Amino acid sequence: MNGTNGAGNERQIQDADLMDVAQDPEQAHRLRKALQTLATNPKVGGKLQEMAQEVLSGRIGMKDAIQSEEYMGAIGDRLHEMRRAAENQTQAEREASREQFAKWQKEQEAKEDQERAERDGPSGAIVTGPRRGGRGGSSHRD
């Protein structure tokens, strides 16, 4: 059994390694985080988890993974399961799921904002430049 913690001993790809499929560095970062979630969540299992572990370790490229019938089939199967589960929910369960997702989404956005700030460093001073003092301060009226 190779376990989900085995990746800790191996090389881990970086965001830049996903730029062959990502549109920008931010999307590459989100993709890598999603792969990490898939690789470590025991509820995922199977080929989907294997794919995430393989991509994160660098043993297979993301481009190759999405062109693989085996891995894309696993993604399709999981999406089908999710759709079926959503169709079987009651209205109350749907509303609870929406609320839970909205809360989770806010938490994720806050984490991403914090990570972005840590990654980008103290750039706030650059964005907000010095104020100009001439605005409305001079009175050249007669």
Side-chain angles (χ1 to χ4, degrees), residues 45 72 92:
M72 288 312 293

Side-chain angles (χ1 to χ4, degrees), residues 34-100:
L35 287 167
Q36 288 173 324
T37 299
L38 291 172
T40 58
N41 187 333
K43 293 180 181 179
V44 174
K47 286 292 176 189
L48 195 54
Q49 190 166 48
E50 177 186 305
M51 179 207 62
Q53 291 168 347
E54 293 292 300
V55 171
L56 286 171
S57 70
R59 289 187 295 268
I60 185 174
M62 189 67 212
K63 198 172 210 169
D64 293 331
I66 60 177
Q67 292 175 345
S68 161
E69 287 184 33
E70 182 179 25
Y71 290 143
M72 288 312 293
I75 291 170
D77 291 346
R78 182 53 61 111
L79 289 174
H80 181 70
E81 289 172 23
M82 291 169 59
R83 185 180 321 120
R84 192 171 51 239
E87 289 170 355
N88 292 331
Q89 281 185 327
T90 66
Q91 187 61 33
E93 289 171 331
R94 282 190 189 105
E95 189 58 38
S97 290
R98 280 189 204 107
E99 289 173 12
Q100 187 178 12

Side-chain angles (χ1 to χ4, degrees), residues 22-39:
Q23 294 177 359
D24 56 48
E26 191 66 31
Q27 188 180 51
H29 179 71
R30 288 193 308 269
L31 176 57
R32 189 172 59 81
K33 287 187 68 158
L35 287 167
Q36 288 173 324
T37 299
L38 291 172

Side-chain angles (χ1 to χ4, degrees), residues 129-137:
R131 288 182 159 233
R132 296 187 177 214
R135 208 169 195 214

Side-chain angles (χ1 to χ4, degrees), residues 2-12 39-40 52-53 56-57 59:
N2 60 5
T4 57
N5 293 346
N9 300 333
E10 299 177 18
R11 165 179 120 50
Q12 283 275 318
T40 58
Q53 291 168 347
L56 286 171
S57 70
R59 289 187 295 268

